[in-house]
Amino acid sequence: MAGVGVGFSLLLQFLLFLCTYVRSESTDIQLDVKAQTLHRIDSFNLLVYTFLLTLTVLTIWLFKHRRLRFIHETGLAVIYGLLAGCFIRYATHITPLSHLSVVAAKSEEYNDSLPPDTLRFFFSSKDLHNRTYAYSFRGGLEKITGNAIDIKATFDPELFFNIILPPIIFHAGYSLKRKYFFRNLGAILTYAVIGSAISAFVLGVLMYGCVQFLPIGLKDSFTFLDALTFGAIISPTDPVTILAIFNDLKVDVTLYSLVFGESVLNDAVAIVLSSSIQNYGEQYQSGSGKFELEAFLRAVGDFVGIFSLSLLIGATMGCSTALLTKFTRIRDFPLFESALFVLMSYSTFLIAEASDLTGVVSVLFCGIFQAHYTYNNLSRGSRKRTKQLFELLNFFTENFIFSYIGVSMFTFPNHKFNFGFILAGFICTAISRAANIYPLTFLLNLGRDPTIAINFQHMLFFAGLRGAMSFALAIRNTVSEARQAMLTTTSLIVIFTVIIQGGATMQLLSIFKIPVGVDDEVEMLPYSGPGGGGRGTTYDSTRDTQREGGDTPSSPNVGEKAWLAKVWGNFDSNYMKPLLTHSRPTLLETLPVCCNPIARILTTTQQLTQESCRIDSDSDLGPEESQNGHPRRDSAVYRSTSPIIITPGQITPISRLDA
């Protein structure tokens, strides 16, 4: 009987083990099903955004084919995003998500004034093998339940800063038309730096005053620093719609360069300004709530220091890439050359962010330096590849952000609609833009010839569209009610300005009587450096030359450059370009005789033996290749037996240098 009892006990234990095993297998199967369902939802959301971009491309192609200019692809992306967000919010009802309420225990070790970065809790269950689970911080939620597709359609805000914004900012610097940028450098810096600071301060003061008169809502939670932060968030402009129309209609290059130059730089200024305001409130202010001069001066020092160091990192990485491509033969492998170019450019952003600086500033100036120096050392294939790659990335990422702005109006959980705050935001934004443009233009015109006309000033005012940078800054922090109201108001301002102001560009050009169809200048520049067959281009961004045949350019301000650009142009032509590219004159000719040993090391044989010719400054083609593959009349000058150098007043033959 004892044997029977033992056998029965073993059989019972086996059955219990089998039940536990079957239950565990069932749990694993259910987890697999749940993971597969969530994967399907993620794929559906990506499919929605892919479909939106596809629809945007097809629609804008139809508009361009029919020559309709009343709306740009960014406006279409916003509209389609709103429709998709409405569909996701109200027409889908998949809810495989489960929710468990967890109440935090009081602990002296935990500072309950801030939310934890990671929430860990022990889940006691035989099916789940008594595991500990961790959930990372995603911000406060007003709704603890909701549609799974609705929740999954919300992206991590860091995705915008680390993945989506860098290509947009780099492309702005890499595609910069440096000739027009430097010609109006003083006005651009005034609008972008001083004007953005004025705009942020005026908007912050006005918004803080308006909030005090709101009957309910944000009066108690909206501080003066919140108002200044909102001013910094809304100050950067993104006139991509207007610039596209300007380019199609060939609007005056001065107006184009002012609008484009300001939008390029004020993105960088806005992010540094917002971080400086944050440092003022968190690190320097004593907590009295009153204005403190010492804390303010430290914040100003932060602004200057962060901007300068970030700029230095971008310039250093751009110059380092130029040196690598000049003194190595990596151009013999165009694929590796392009990969190195992209990796060095993107690492600039990450180095600055990891150093507690601003990656946007770094990657912007890295793009400018890469276009000015490294581009000239690349092989012909890498030039085309990098230009087309970043142009494509810029198109995708920018339109994705505008689509997401529309979608997030319905799916993002941390929106706070306060009609009074939203109305005040629209009015104060317009006033702050006027405070930027008109007073500063008056001061600029006192020492500028030619002056910026009043109709150009009106167009600059209406060109203050808000876009990707404002939205990315606003969505990064939505914990408090004040920040949630900022996000909602910023999103609505972006949607309104892109669709309404951008769509009214044609009418505004007609109302303000701004000339269109203005012929662009053809800039003849020295040519040198390695190309696809050992030849390449070097752009002189500050030299104003005449057209072929002696015709003077149509722009009224030929030769008018900012004094800072003239100083930099001389230093750049004599020292920077000979050091970082294969351009002439070499350092052997520009440095003192005592520096000849060093100059010889830094001068390549190609610099001493190259030929010279001229090309258009903004072309991405090779020196002898046109759009149809035939020789370019304006680039190689049909291969003179003696190389030539084009100067503003003459064409001077020079003798070929021996190796």
Side-chain angles (χ1 to χ4, degrees):
M1 293 297 293
V4 174
V6 171
F8 180 77
S9 176
L10 291 175
L11 178 62
L12 183 60
Q13 292 180 18
F14 174 76
L15 291 175
L16 289 175
F17 170 77
L18 184 63
C19 291
T20 302
Y21 176 78
V22 171
R23 184 182 300 173
S24 175
E25 287 294 319
S26 176
T27 300
D28 289 339
I29 293 175
Q30 291 177 6
L31 290 175
D32 289 339
V33 171
K34 183 172 184 177
Q36 183 65 25
T37 303
L38 295 178
H39 171 72
R40 248 186 337 110
I41 295 173
D42 287 332
S43 300
F44 173 78
N45 280 295
L46 292 176
L47 177 63
V48 168
Y49 287 106
T50 304
F51 175 75
L52 290 178
L53 292 176
T54 304
L55 189 60
T56 300
V57 171
L58 292 176
T59 308
I60 203 62
W61 166 79
L62 180 63
F63 279 26
K64 288 184 178 295
H65 180 68
R66 297 295 182 182
R67 299 185 182 277
L68 302 175
R69 294 190 178 95
F70 63 88
I71 193 168
H72 188 249
E73 57 254 30
T74 52
L76 285 171
V78 172
I79 294 174
Y80 289 150
L82 289 170
L83 296 176
C86 183
F87 171 78
I88 292 174
R89 180 70 179 84
Y90 298 109
T92 56
H93 301 285
I94 300 177
T95 56
L97 300 180
S98 57
H99 303 276
L100 177 65
S101 298
V102 179
V103 179
K106 293 294 182 180
S107 173
E108 296 180 356
E109 299 178 357
Y110 173 64
N111 178 14
D112 57 3
S113 63
L114 294 174
D117 297 321
T118 304
L119 176 65
R120 298 193 182 103
F121 66 93
F122 179 74
F123 199 97
S124 179
S125 171
K126 294 181 180 180
D127 295 342
L128 297 178
H129 306 292
N130 298 331
R131 293 179 180 175
T132 299
Y133 292 86
Y135 294 87
S136 60
F137 171 70
R138 291 294 300 274
L141 296 177
E142 294 184 359
K143 300 180 297 182
I144 61 173
T145 60
N147 186 1
I149 296 180
D150 195 10
I151 295 174
K152 285 285 188 176
T154 301
F155 288 89
D156 188 345
E158 289 302 308
L159 176 68
F160 290 98
F161 266 85
N162 293 328
I163 304 297
I164 296 178
L165 273 182
I168 296 176
I169 303 300
F170 182 85
H171 179 263
Y174 195 51
S175 63
L176 184 69
K177 293 184 178 181
R178 297 179 300 282
K179 178 175 62 174
Y180 308 131
F181 179 86
F182 286 113
R183 181 174 296 166
N184 298 279
L185 183 61
I188 290 172
L189 290 175
T190 301
Y191 289 134
V193 180
I194 302 176
S196 295
I198 291 175
S199 179
F201 182 76
V202 170
L203 191 145
V205 171
L206 292 177
M207 284 299 298
Y208 184 72
C210 291
V211 168
Q212 304 310 309
F213 293 99
L214 292 179
I216 56 175
L218 301 172
K219 184 183 299 185
D220 296 331
S221 61
F222 193 79
T223 66
F224 184 66
L225 284 181
D226 288 331
L228 291 179
T229 301
F230 181 61
I233 287 174
I234 213 68
S235 61
T237 60
D238 189 9
V240 60
T241 306
I242 291 179
L243 289 174
I245 297 176
F246 279 8
N247 190 59
D248 291 342
L249 297 180
K250 296 187 181 299
V251 175
D252 184 90
V253 292
T254 298
L255 178 60
Y256 184 96
S257 63
L258 290 175
V259 174
F260 180 72
E262 181 197 4
S263 67
V264 167
L265 292 183
N266 65 13
D267 283 351
V269 172
I271 193 170
V272 179
L273 188 61
S274 62
S275 63
S276 299
I277 293 172
Q278 181 182 359
N279 289 340
Y280 172 81
E282 293 183 358
Q283 300 181 21
Y284 303 138
Q285 204 176 24
S286 63
S288 63
K290 299 179 181 180
F291 176 78
E292 300 176 15
L293 180 61
E294 183 180 356
F296 173 76
L297 294 177
R298 289 185 179 181
V300 172
D302 274 351
F303 177 84
V304 176
I306 292 175
F307 194 95
S308 302
L309 291 176
S310 301
L311 188 157
L312 180 62
I313 288 177
T316 301
M317 291 298 290
C319 293
S320 299
T321 312
L323 289 173
L324 277 174
T325 53
K326 177 183 177 181
F327 290 103
T328 64
R329 298 292 302 179
I330 195 172
R331 63 178 176 273
D332 294 338
F333 303 92
L335 180 61
F336 298 159
E337 183 183 38
S338 301
L340 176 68
F341 183 90
V342 173
L343 292 173
M344 293 284 284
S345 301
Y346 183 60
S347 64
T348 304
F349 178 87
L350 299 179
I351 290 173
E353 291 292 321
S355 304
D356 200 21
L357 298 172
T358 303
V360 169
V361 178
S362 294
V363 79
L364 169 64
F365 284 94
C366 177
I368 295 175
F369 275 72
Q370 298 281 44
H372 196 57
Y373 300 116
T374 309
Y375 182 85
N376 305 308
N377 300 333
L378 300 179
S379 63
R380 184 176 302 174
S382 294
R383 291 182 191 176
K384 292 182 178 180
R385 184 182 291 113
T386 55
K387 271 188 171 290
Q388 294 170 357
L389 172 64
F390 284 107
E391 185 178 5
L392 183 64
L393 287 177
N394 175 74
F395 175 82
F396 277 139
T397 52
E398 195 155 51
N399 281 277
F400 172 81
I401 286 185
F402 282 105
S403 297
Y404 183 69
I405 291 172
V407 171
S408 68
M409 290 302 299
F410 293 93
T411 63
F412 195 74
N414 292 349
H415 276 295
K416 185 175 182 61
F417 290 87
N418 187 306
F419 178 77
F421 189 87
I422 294 172
L423 180 62
F426 273 89
I427 296 174
C428 295
T429 298
I431 295 174
S432 65
R433 179 66 180 171
N436 175 357
I437 297 300
Y438 295 106
L440 292 181
T441 306
F442 173 78
L443 296 176
L444 286 171
N445 283 341
L446 295 178
R448 180 184 172 93
D449 185 25
T451 60
I452 302 174
I454 189 65
N455 57 342
F456 281 20
Q457 297 178 43
H458 296 331
M459 198 65 224
L460 284 170
F461 170 79
F462 282 100
L465 280 65
R466 270 58 179 182
M469 179 58 70
S470 294
F471 178 76
L473 286 172
I475 201 173
R476 204 172 191 183
N477 179 5
T478 57
V479 175
S480 65
E481 289 188 359
R483 293 302 182 96
Q484 293 170 9
M486 291 182 199
L487 170 63
T488 304
T489 304
T490 300
S491 300
L492 292 174
I493 291 175
V494 170
I495 293 173
F496 176 84
T497 56
V498 168
I499 296 177
I500 305 301
Q501 283 184 234
T505 303
M506 294 288 294
Q507 290 75 16
L508 292 173
L509 290 173
S510 177
I511 292 172
F512 298 145
K513 298 181 180 179
I514 295 176
V516 297
V518 179
D519 290 335
D520 199 0
E521 298 176 21
V522 180
E523 187 179 35
M524 310 302 181
L525 298 173
Y527 159 76
S528 59
R535 300 171 60 86
T537 61
T538 296
Y539 298 144
D540 187 347
S541 62
T542 59
R543 182 175 300 173
D544 296 309
T545 61
Q546 290 182 312
R547 294 187 179 202
E548 188 175 5
D551 296 334
T552 57
S554 61
S555 180
N557 58 345
V558 173
E560 296 292 336
K561 295 177 293 186
W563 67 269
L564 183 60
K566 293 179 181 179
V567 173
W568 167 253
N570 292 330
F571 177 78
D572 181 50
S573 299
N574 291 328
Y575 303 106
M576 294 298 292
K577 284 183 178 178
L579 171 64
L580 300 175
T581 69
H582 297 277
S583 71
R584 302 289 298 272
T586 67
L587 291 176
L588 290 169
E589 302 169 69
T590 58
L591 287 177
V593 178
C594 61
C595 299
N596 275 353
I598 298 177
R600 185 63 188 90
I601 295 174
L602 299 176
T603 302
T604 61
T605 304
Q606 191 166 358
Q607 281 180 279
L608 299 174
T609 59
Q610 68 187 345
E611 295 180 355
S612 298
C613 69
R614 57 181 182 173
I615 66 169
D616 296 338
S617 62
D618 296 316
S619 173
D620 61 352
L621 300 174
E624 302 170 3
E625 183 182 4
S626 64
Q627 295 284 357
N628 56 9
H630 296 296
R632 291 170 37 155
R633 181 186 301 270
D634 63 336
S635 297
V637 200
Y638 281 88
R639 283 189 180 273
S640 172
T641 54
S642 296
I644 61 174
I645 290 180
I646 305 299
T647 62
Q650 59 183 356
I651 301 178
T652 305
I654 61 173
S655 301
R656 186 187 305 273
L657 295 174
D658 295 329

